[in-house]
Amino acid sequence: MIFPLLRGLLWFHRAPAVWLMVALNVGIFAWTYPAYRAADMAIETILDDDSFVETNGMVFASQLLHKPKIQIERYPSSLRVLASRSVDGDTDAKALLGHMALRQGSFMTEVKTLIKTDEGLGRIKGDAVQIEKWSETVARLGVIQSVHPSFRLGLSFDQTEVWRFFTYQIAHSGLVHLFWNMIFLLLFGTFVEHTRGSLAVLMTMWFGGFGGALAFIGLSGLSASPLVGASAAVSALIALSASNGHRRLPFVF
């Protein structure tokens, strides 16, 4: 990686916009960390339950294979193969498919609707006891996600309000994720603020992040897992830094 070098990092009086954005990101993370940590541990406990994961895979396989052929073909071939193997009783396939199904936005939205009523739950094929236990866990997962900061601020399949295109940029999935985004924000943000001004930094970050989310949706689509992080905003700053040809600068390699 090649970094633009000024006179070390510029401090607050030289790059106030960048430092305010760093403070906002770090502040949001610190404020939400207790809820984030508790919710993350609760989700990990659910994912460690092999019975739930395998039942989730079996339910997904059943729902998928009972769709019209034209709808089935919209899913990746790997999912269709795993679904067939799951129905045939392959435990490994059910476990793998169960994890993958948790990211399938349409499936998770559909089952959360079905389990709200006995009539809807009855439409899910499988062992009645396992399905009942699975439905209780899915409901619990929904409650956990409703208080998880990444789900509350991030972009996901069923949460696409316009304001989320901005709030997802200040939510991070962990300390390491936050740390590296802030390092790159400081390195490139102070350079842009020094050469282009504070307004350029703020406009580039917010609208670069907004455009990054649109590009992400267009290329891979949103899943049931939330999109979070300042990576797109920071990438926009890197691109703007690379486009600066008005002055010669030393670089660190």
Side-chain angles (χ1 to χ4, degrees):
M1 189 68 202
I2 302 175
F3 300 105
L5 177 67
L6 296 169
R7 289 182 295 277
L9 289 177
L10 299 179
W11 298 108
F12 182 82
H13 69 287
R14 299 289 300 278
V18 170
W19 283 101
L20 285 173
M21 290 304 301
V22 170
L24 176 62
N25 279 269
V26 173
I28 290 292
F29 184 80
W31 179 46
T32 60
Y33 184 75
Y36 165 84
R37 182 63 178 163
D40 232 34
M41 290 178 64
I43 290 176
E44 285 297 323
T45 300
I46 289 175
L47 297 183
D48 286 339
D49 183 349
D50 292 338
S51 176
F52 166 74
V53 173
E54 289 175 15
T55 304
N56 196 56
M58 193 63 198
V59 171
F60 179 75
S62 177
Q63 298 289 94
L64 172 60
L65 296 178
H66 281 83
K67 291 180 181 294
K69 184 177 180 180
I70 191 171
Q71 293 184 24
I72 295 176
E73 291 176 348
R74 294 174 184 171
Y75 287 85
S77 58
S78 57
L79 283 181
R80 300 200 301 267
V81 170
L82 283 174
S84 297
R85 288 171 54 190
S86 298
V87 171
D88 291 338
D90 188 325
T91 302
D92 291 337
K94 285 190 286 187
L96 181 56
L97 187 62
H99 283 290
M100 296 174 72
L102 290 170
R103 298 180 57 85
Q104 293 293 316
S106 57
F107 168 70
M108 293 306 297
T109 301
E110 181 182 356
V111 297
K112 285 177 181 177
T113 301
L114 287 175
I115 65 174
K116 289 180 180 179
T117 64
D118 291 336
E119 182 181 352
L121 191 60
R123 290 161 52 189
I124 300 176
K125 300 183 182 301
D127 181 272
V129 175
Q130 284 187 325
I131 295 299
E132 180 67 27
K133 183 179 178 182
W134 165 83
S135 68
E136 292 173 356
T137 306
V138 170
R140 187 165 75 252
L141 181 62
V143 172
I144 295 168
Q145 291 173 345
S146 70
V147 298
H148 195 302
S150 293
F151 286 87
R152 296 184 68 179
L153 297 174
L155 268 168
S156 57
F157 180 84
D158 58 346
Q159 296 178 311
T160 56
E161 297 88 345
V162 174
W163 56 268
R164 291 181 181 276
F165 283 80
F166 297 98
T167 58
Y168 93 91
Q169 301 176 46
I170 55 174
H172 288 80
S173 62
L175 187 58
V176 173
H177 188 203
L178 173 72
F179 175 79
W180 285 111
N181 271 337
M182 294 305 98
I183 288 295
F184 278 82
L185 172 56
L186 286 170
L187 285 169
F188 290 94
T190 54
F191 170 63
V192 170
E193 189 159 8
H194 177 73
T195 56
R196 307 270 184 143
S198 300
L199 183 61
V201 168
L202 296 175
M203 295 287 285
T204 301
M205 284 196 68
W206 289 116
F207 288 99
F210 185 91
L214 291 178
F216 179 87
I217 293 170
L219 290 171
S220 58
L222 291 170
S223 74
S225 298
L227 172 67
V228 293
S231 299
V234 172
S235 295
L237 288 174
I238 295 174
L240 189 59
S241 300
S243 71
N244 190 307
H246 299 299
R247 56 179 296 182
R248 294 175 61 85
L249 291 169
F251 283 84
V252 172
F253 294 83

